[in-house]
PDB file of all heavy atoms in Angstrom:
ATOM      1  N   GLY A 188     188.089 108.095-134.282  1.00  0.00           N
ATOM      2  CA  GLY A 188     187.973 108.539-135.675  1.00  0.00           C
ATOM      3  C   GLY A 188     189.003 107.872-136.576  1.00  0.00           C
ATOM      4  O   GLY A 188     190.142 107.619-136.166  1.00  0.00           O
ATOM      5  N   ASN A 189     188.577 107.584-137.802  1.00  0.00           N
ATOM      6  CA  ASN A 189     189.472 106.968-138.796  1.00  0.00           C
ATOM      7  C   ASN A 189     190.179 108.013-139.642  1.00  0.00           C
ATOM      8  O   ASN A 189     190.844 107.654-140.590  1.00  0.00           O
ATOM      9  CB  ASN A 189     188.634 106.133-139.788  1.00  0.00           C
ATOM     10  CG  ASN A 189     188.482 104.709-139.353  1.00  0.00           C
ATOM     11  OD1 ASN A 189     188.378 104.450-138.166  1.00  0.00           O
ATOM     12  ND2 ASN A 189     188.482 103.793-140.308  1.00  0.00           N
ATOM     13  N   GLY A 190     189.932 109.310-139.372  1.00  0.00           N
ATOM     14  CA  GLY A 190     190.359 110.319-140.343  1.00  0.00           C
ATOM     15  C   GLY A 190     189.377 110.217-141.492  1.00  0.00           C
ATOM     16  O   GLY A 190     188.363 109.524-141.358  1.00  0.00           O
ATOM     17  N   PRO A 191     189.621 110.849-142.618  1.00  0.00           N
ATOM     18  CA  PRO A 191     188.565 110.874-143.643  1.00  0.00           C
ATOM     19  C   PRO A 191     188.279 109.528-144.295  1.00  0.00           C
ATOM     20  O   PRO A 191     187.210 109.334-144.854  1.00  0.00           O
ATOM     21  CB  PRO A 191     189.092 111.865-144.680  1.00  0.00           C
ATOM     22  CG  PRO A 191     190.545 112.027-144.414  1.00  0.00           C
ATOM     23  CD  PRO A 191     190.784 111.671-142.985  1.00  0.00           C
ATOM     24  N   TRP A 192     189.232 108.585-144.202  1.00  0.00           N
ATOM     25  CA  TRP A 192     189.077 107.374-145.018  1.00  0.00           C
ATOM     26  C   TRP A 192     188.575 106.184-144.209  1.00  0.00           C
ATOM     27  O   TRP A 192     189.165 105.795-143.207  1.00  0.00           O
ATOM     28  CB  TRP A 192     190.392 107.029-145.733  1.00  0.00           C
ATOM     29  CG  TRP A 192     190.902 108.231-146.477  1.00  0.00           C
ATOM     30  CD1 TRP A 192     192.054 108.913-146.248  1.00  0.00           C
ATOM     31  CD2 TRP A 192     190.228 108.945-147.529  1.00  0.00           C
ATOM     32  NE1 TRP A 192     192.146 110.000-147.069  1.00  0.00           N
ATOM     33  CE2 TRP A 192     191.036 110.045-147.881  1.00  0.00           C
ATOM     34  CE3 TRP A 192     189.021 108.778-148.201  1.00  0.00           C
ATOM     35  CZ2 TRP A 192     190.683 110.959-148.869  1.00  0.00           C
ATOM     36  CZ3 TRP A 192     188.658 109.695-149.184  1.00  0.00           C
ATOM     37  CH2 TRP A 192     189.494 110.759-149.512  1.00  0.00           C
ATOM     38  N   LEU A 193     187.497 105.607-144.678  1.00  0.00           N
ATOM     39  CA  LEU A 193     186.909 104.440-144.028  1.00  0.00           C
ATOM     40  C   LEU A 193     187.401 103.188-144.756  1.00  0.00           C
ATOM     41  O   LEU A 193     188.126 103.277-145.744  1.00  0.00           O
ATOM     42  CB  LEU A 193     185.381 104.546-144.077  1.00  0.00           C
ATOM     43  CG  LEU A 193     184.820 105.822-143.406  1.00  0.00           C
ATOM     44  CD1 LEU A 193     183.326 105.956-143.649  1.00  0.00           C
ATOM     45  CD2 LEU A 193     185.111 105.830-141.903  1.00  0.00           C
ATOM     46  N   THR A 194     186.980 102.016-144.256  1.00  0.00           N
ATOM     47  CA  THR A 194     187.416 100.746-144.851  1.00  0.00           C
ATOM     48  C   THR A 194     186.261 100.135-145.630  1.00  0.00           C
ATOM     49  O   THR A 194     185.118 100.177-145.159  1.00  0.00           O
ATOM     50  CB  THR A 194     187.813  99.776-143.711  1.00  0.00           C
ATOM     51  OG1 THR A 194     188.687 100.482-142.831  1.00  0.00           O
ATOM     52  CG2 THR A 194     188.504  98.545-144.232  1.00  0.00           C
ATOM     53  N   ALA A 195     186.555  99.545-146.779  1.00  0.00           N
ATOM     54  CA  ALA A 195     185.496  98.922-147.588  1.00  0.00           C
ATOM     55  C   ALA A 195     184.761  97.883-146.755  1.00  0.00           C
ATOM     56  O   ALA A 195     185.391  97.033-146.117  1.00  0.00           O
ATOM     57  CB  ALA A 195     186.106  98.276-148.827  1.00  0.00           C
ATOM     58  N   PRO A 196     183.426  97.933-146.730  1.00  0.00           N
ATOM     59  CA  PRO A 196     182.680  96.948-145.931  1.00  0.00           C
ATOM     60  C   PRO A 196     182.701  95.570-146.596  1.00  0.00           C
ATOM     61  O   PRO A 196     182.732  95.476-147.820  1.00  0.00           O
ATOM     62  CB  PRO A 196     181.256  97.519-145.922  1.00  0.00           C
ATOM     63  CG  PRO A 196     181.161  98.376-147.142  1.00  0.00           C
ATOM     64  CD  PRO A 196     182.545  98.889-147.418  1.00  0.00           C
ATOM     65  N   LYS A 197     182.650  94.525-145.765  1.00  0.00           N
ATOM     66  CA  LYS A 197     182.718  93.159-146.310  1.00  0.00           C
ATOM     67  C   LYS A 197     181.330  92.631-146.681  1.00  0.00           C
ATOM     68  O   LYS A 197     181.201  91.634-147.370  1.00  0.00           O
ATOM     69  CB  LYS A 197     183.355  92.225-145.279  1.00  0.00           C
ATOM     70  CG  LYS A 197     184.805  92.606-145.009  1.00  0.00           C
ATOM     71  CD  LYS A 197     185.530  91.466-144.289  1.00  0.00           C
ATOM     72  CE  LYS A 197     186.986  91.803-144.046  1.00  0.00           C
ATOM     73  NZ  LYS A 197     187.156  92.858-143.013  1.00  0.00           N
ATOM     74  N   ALA A 198     180.298  93.298-146.169  1.00  0.00           N
ATOM     75  CA  ALA A 198     178.919  92.845-146.414  1.00  0.00           C
ATOM     76  C   ALA A 198     178.051  94.091-146.591  1.00  0.00           C
ATOM     77  O   ALA A 198     178.504  95.205-146.288  1.00  0.00           O
ATOM     78  CB  ALA A 198     178.456  92.027-145.207  1.00  0.00           C
ATOM     79  N   PRO A 199     176.796  93.934-147.050  1.00  0.00           N
ATOM     80  CA  PRO A 199     175.931  95.110-147.181  1.00  0.00           C
ATOM     81  C   PRO A 199     175.777  95.857-145.854  1.00  0.00           C
ATOM     82  O   PRO A 199     175.735  95.239-144.784  1.00  0.00           O
ATOM     83  CB  PRO A 199     174.593  94.504-147.629  1.00  0.00           C
ATOM     84  CG  PRO A 199     174.957  93.227-148.295  1.00  0.00           C
ATOM     85  CD  PRO A 199     176.155  92.700-147.540  1.00  0.00           C
TER      86      PRO A 199
END
Side-chain angles (χ1 to χ4, degrees):
N189 269 36
W192 308 116
L193 302 173
T194 311
K197 295 195 178 71

